[in-house]
Amino acid sequence: MPNVVGKTLRGGGNMVYALFSAAVLLAIGALYAGAVGWLYFRQERLLFEPDKLPPDEPICHDPDTSEFLVDVPGARLSCAHLRLPDPRGVFFFLHGNSGNLKKWFVDLDAFRQANFDVVMFDYRGFGKSGGEIESELQLRADVEAVWNHVAPRYAGKRVVISGQSLGTGLAAGLAARLCSDGHAPDLTLLVSPYSSMKALAAELYPWVPVQVLRYPLHTLEHAAKLLGPVMLIHGEKDELIPIHHSETLCSAMRSAELVRVTGAGHSDVHQFPTVRKALMAALGRL
């Protein structure tokens, strides 16, 4: 009888352990599913870090700069414009995922020296721009809307399409579209680019299924379609978007130059003299 009781107790203990283990796994699974679901529906808050600006606060006080608005479905986009008397062309720049134009529409003397106008705009929810970013399709459509608004002014002049960090995927997409329409930019300039946001997310968050990402931003797919000169600038110490992303993009392009910035990370790459020197040289060649 004691042996029978012992076996029964041991069997019951194994069953309790199995039930407990199953409950733990179910709880972990539920937490994981909840976290993935939260990421799917709230990823705009993780990907975009906008800072608002009061409508009456100037973006720039320089007398040769101005502001204008572009109407898009559901919003008005705030734009900043450096306008020179007789520019050689335009530098159309798409900024990163944080701040607003007061952070990005700076250091304009280099463009004055090169005699290039500059156009930048704030994405929805950034600065003075209204609305909210809801999809990659919407984001790319806004880029097209602003470009189509200013492009007629620069017919027959030099065109540079540029982006930094988040903006590089958008810039590459616009440049590829212009190439397919027979109006290739005179230069495509990408600073701290990613091969795709999908690939970057897989590196940074390997536990998240790639299907969750609603902003894949496939820069590499556009890279092979780019015609004309392409310059990539990347900090060698960039830990957010490692330089191997630029190396991958460079190898996929027909005519690309990769400028490696020694000692630069992600957020400080634009502060290095190497970058200004490379920019001025590129604009001077146009």
Side-chain angles (χ1 to χ4, degrees):
M1 183 66 70
N3 289 337
V4 173
V5 172
K7 290 180 179 179
T8 301
L9 291 174
R10 287 194 297 273
N14 291 337
M15 182 177 295
V16 170
Y17 177 78
L19 290 172
F20 176 76
S21 298
V24 170
L25 290 174
L26 285 173
I28 293 174
L31 287 172
Y32 177 74
V36 169
W38 186 89
L39 285 171
Y40 181 82
F41 291 107
R42 308 284 284 183
Q43 60 191 261
E44 283 85 2
R45 294 198 176 188
L46 297 175
L47 188 56
F48 306 109
E49 300 175 0
D51 287 334
K52 285 285 191 180
L53 276 178
D56 59 347
E57 183 173 340
I59 291 170
C60 182
H61 293 279
D62 296 353
D64 54 359
T65 65
S66 60
E67 300 180 33
F68 63 93
L69 296 170
V70 173
D71 290 318
V72 292
R76 304 188 85 186
L77 303 177
S78 169
C79 309
H81 197 177
L82 168 66
R83 292 183 60 179
L84 302 174
D86 184 24
R88 294 175 55 224
V90 62
F91 188 90
F92 187 74
F93 181 79
L94 299 163
H95 67 63
N97 74 324
S98 65
N100 55 51
L101 286 176
K102 288 208 75 162
K103 168 186 174 181
W104 296 97
F105 194 66
V106 294
D107 299 329
L108 300 174
D109 283 343
F111 299 101
R112 294 185 179 101
Q113 183 178 341
N115 197 24
F116 267 78
D117 281 5
V118 177
V119 175
M120 300 184 194
F121 81 95
D122 266 331
Y123 312 123
R124 298 185 191 218
F126 287 69
K128 303 178 189 180
S129 291
E132 294 182 359
I133 298 173
E134 298 176 349
S135 69
E136 180 179 335
L137 184 63
Q138 177 206 64
L139 192 56
R140 290 191 183 276
D142 287 352
V143 170
E144 292 279 352
V146 177
W147 171 251
N148 291 337
H149 182 88
V150 300
R153 179 183 298 274
Y154 298 101
K157 294 183 179 291
R158 302 295 190 223
V159 169
V160 178
I161 303 297
S162 180
Q164 184 164 341
S165 191
L166 173 76
T168 56
L170 302 172
L174 174 61
R177 197 273 296 169
L178 293 174
C179 290
S180 67
D181 289 349
H183 303 290
D186 296 281
L187 174 66
T188 302
L189 174 64
L190 307 177
V191 183
S192 306
Y194 43 86
S195 57
S196 74
M197 194 62 70
K198 184 176 180 180
L200 182 62
E203 295 174 14
L204 299 176
Y205 309 106
W207 56 275
V208 178
V210 293
Q211 295 82 357
V212 171
L213 188 65
R214 293 189 287 110
Y215 295 84
L217 290 164
H218 292 294
T219 313
L220 185 60
E221 291 184 1
H222 299 298
K225 303 173 186 177
L226 296 180
L227 306 174
V230 179
M231 176 178 284
L232 310 174
I233 298 176
H234 217 122
E236 291 187 334
K237 291 187 176 180
D238 193 330
E239 296 182 353
L240 181 61
I241 305 178
I243 195 171
H244 69 77
H245 282 265
S246 275
E247 293 169 345
T248 298
L249 289 169
C250 195
S251 64
M253 296 180 186
R254 304 181 187 185
S255 176
E257 173 189 2
L258 173 55
V259 177
R260 301 170 181 270
V261 186
T262 304
H266 186 76
S267 59
D268 64 347
V269 63
H270 59 284
Q271 299 174 2
F272 281 69
T274 305
V275 175
R276 180 175 178 131
K277 183 178 179 180
L279 172 62
M280 294 300 293
L283 295 179
R285 289 193 292 267
L286 299 183

